[in-house]
Amino acid sequence: MLKIEFLGSGNAAGVPVWGCRCSACLQAQTDPGKRRRGASLAIHTDEGVTLVDAGLTDLAERFSFVSVKRILLTHFHMDHVQGLFHLRWSEEARRIPVFRPDDPLGADDLYKHPGVFEFQPPFKPFDSVEWPGFRVVALPLIHSRETFGYLISNGNYCMAYLTDTAGFPAETLNYLQRYPVDDLVLDCSEPPRESMPRNHNDLNAALDLWRQSGASRLWLTHISHRLDCWLEHSGATLPEGVAVVTDGMLFEIEEDCVSQKLIVEISRKG
């Protein structure tokens, strides 16, 4: 069994945005199901938990030390790594490996004082590694810092988790077109705009990338309050096969022993 849990689906500001009185933020202040924390994943297998990014500051309350087997970082912007800063001071003897893109600066003094974290040699584009229950491939993205997305696969199932990107490098798009992707989880920070936003996709760009990739389904993540407001008030509907990630969403993937067809169950918490 492979379970992929969406710990957060928001951009760096999250929803609600501090001080904002837009309808999305007002709803999120009273309805926990409308809130968005920083985009991140927890991959659950029989072995334990693999975190994809660590921007949340309550990871110690969510996961025991023994359950976390490794951490994959997409990049070193603070909203994706800030949760590591106090966790590193654990006095446990075991070291937790951290996999990352090649960013010599890292974030603040994490490289100098990693504590219980053991930073691994940086991934190169399209490096792949297999762990108990799943395999990942590092896919280069377009962002203001060196950034990877990750292709997560188990048996016949494949998810591409590609957050914090503005478009795709040609080699990443070519890779996605060669390998069937069931679920494309893609950065879509902004509603439709006349020009491409810097560092992130708007809805127009996200839909275009999905269609070019050939993925079966598109899930929008790294959502801003501006996109939430547009979805609420524009009257527009998303195309069939396109949906918005919510915090706490859980994908459960298993292979049916009889038919050998993949079963994907999706549940939403809250």
Side-chain angles (χ1 to χ4, degrees), residues 207-236:
L207 292 175
D208 185 54
L209 291 169
W210 169 53
R211 292 172 180 129
Q212 290 184 66
S213 74
S216 299
R217 294 173 293 272
L218 172 63
W219 296 90
L220 307 178
T221 194
H222 206 274
I223 305 297
S224 71
H225 65 151
R226 292 178 293 276
L227 179 58
D228 274 337
C229 282
W230 184 87
L231 291 168
E232 180 184 2
H233 297 296
S234 69

Side-chain angles (χ1 to χ4, degrees), residues 69-87:
K69 301 306 176 185
R70 65 192 62 84
I71 298 172
L72 303 178
L73 297 179
T74 60
H75 64 300
F76 280 92
H77 277 152
M78 197 59 67
D79 58 309
H80 292 261
V81 300
Q82 62 189 349
L84 300 180
F85 281 88
H86 70 282
L87 296 183

Side-chain angles (χ1 to χ4, degrees), residues 5-11 35-42 52 56 62 80 161 163 185 220-223 245-249:
E5 179 185 7
F6 288 81
L7 302 179
S9 59
N11 67 352
R35 295 173 188 168
R36 298 188 185 279
R37 304 184 71 193
S40 52
L41 296 180
V52 181
L56 304 187
R62 288 171 174 252
H80 292 261
Y161 182 74
T163 186
V185 183
L220 307 178
T221 194
H222 206 274
I223 305 297
V245 172
T246 57
D247 288 23
M249 184 181 292

Side-chain angles (χ1 to χ4, degrees), residues 134-193:
F134 68 105
R135 174 176 177 261
V136 299
V137 179
L139 301 180
L141 299 178
I142 300 172
H143 199 46
S144 57
R145 297 188 71 160
E146 192 75 19
T147 302
F148 282 135
Y150 294 105
L151 202 67
I152 304 163
S153 60
N154 171 279
N156 295 324
Y157 177 77
C158 183
M159 172 187 284
Y161 182 74
L162 309 177
T163 186
D164 288 71
T165 191
F168 293 153
E171 60 269 27
T172 293
L173 181 58
N174 291 339
Y175 190 96
L176 293 172
Q177 291 170 337
R178 292 198 308 270
Y179 295 93
V181 172
D182 297 285
D183 290 297
L184 174 61
V185 183
L186 181 60
D187 180 312
C188 183
S189 293
E190 301 294 334
R193 290 174 47 166

Side-chain angles (χ1 to χ4, degrees), residues 37-165:
R37 304 184 71 193
S40 52
L41 296 180
I43 302 171
H44 301 265
T45 66
D46 293 338
E47 179 201 23
V49 175
T50 298
L51 298 177
V52 181
D53 283 336
L56 304 187
T57 56
D58 61 352
L59 293 172
E61 288 73 46
R62 288 171 174 252
F63 303 102
S64 68
F65 183 91
V66 297
S67 70
V68 177
K69 301 306 176 185
R70 65 192 62 84
I71 298 172
L72 303 178
L73 297 179
T74 60
H75 64 300
F76 280 92
H77 277 152
M78 197 59 67
D79 58 309
H80 292 261
V81 300
Q82 62 189 349
L84 300 180
F85 281 88
H86 70 282
L87 296 183
R88 60 180 167 173
W89 304 121
S90 170
E91 296 184 2
E92 292 285 345
R94 180 173 70 93
R95 294 294 176 261
I96 297 176
V98 179
F99 299 84
R100 60 192 171 97
D102 189 6
D103 186 338
L105 295 178
D108 196 60
D109 66 349
L110 273 175
Y111 285 161
K112 186 177 180 181
H113 300 292
V116 296
F117 298 117
E118 190 170 69
F119 286 93
Q120 304 300 299
F123 278 142
K124 297 182 177 65
F126 307 104
D127 275 355
S128 67
V129 60
E130 190 154 351
W131 290 301
F134 68 105
R135 174 176 177 261
V136 299
V137 179
L139 301 180
L141 299 178
I142 300 172
H143 199 46
S144 57
R145 297 188 71 160
E146 192 75 19
T147 302
F148 282 135
Y150 294 105
L151 202 67
I152 304 163
S153 60
N154 171 279
N156 295 324
Y157 177 77
C158 183
M159 172 187 284
Y161 182 74
L162 309 177
T163 186
D164 288 71
T165 191

